[in-house]
Amino acid sequence: MNIMTKFGETHNFTGWDFVARLEEVFGREVDGIVYNSSRPDEKILAQYLNQKAEFVEINPEDACWGKRRIYSDDMLETSGGIVRHDSRSWPL
């Protein structure tokens, strides 16, 4: 799952929106979701907010996920002020 939304592409998407869109494209329910559980610091979030981008949060306990498995861990990399998944955290 994306860590941040992007204005003009995924603006106002929730975590569920990302999953629903993938399932629509795949034509089936996904088995699992890889989710970053660590929130960027407020300074970085403010920079992204200026670009109309927001942090994507989910509640892994929400019933909407059904049988989908949530693989959640701190996978956040913010060097250079850019939010991305940390490749060193793989595999979970």
Side-chain angles (χ1 to χ4, degrees):
M1 181 175 302
N2 290 25
I3 296 174
M4 304 294 295
T5 62
K6 183 171 181 174
F7 185 72
E9 292 179 13
T10 57
H11 187 66
N12 291 327
F13 264 39
T14 65
W16 175 250
D17 293 325
F18 281 102
V19 173
R21 185 63 54 95
L22 283 174
E23 290 180 346
E24 181 181 309
V25 170
F26 294 156
R28 69 171 187 85
E29 189 174 289
V30 297
D31 299 320
I33 299 154
V34 177
Y35 171 69
N36 168 61
S37 61
S38 182
R39 185 178 179 85
D41 69 37
E42 293 304 316
K43 182 179 177 183
I44 290 176
L45 288 174
Q47 289 173 224
Y48 274 84
L49 190 57
N50 286 336
Q51 300 170 27
K52 299 181 183 177
E54 298 174 328
F55 178 61
V56 179
E57 293 184 83
I58 68 167
N59 176 358
E61 304 301 318
D62 195 315
C64 73
W65 303 115
K67 295 180 182 179
R68 296 170 193 87
R69 183 158 180 187
I70 308 285
Y71 299 93
S72 178
D73 201 357
D74 178 357
M75 297 177 267
L76 186 65
E77 168 60 49
T78 59
S79 63
I82 299 170
V83 173
R84 60 178 65 114
H85 290 97
D86 184 351
S87 62
R88 295 172 297 185
S89 65
W90 298 86
L92 295 174

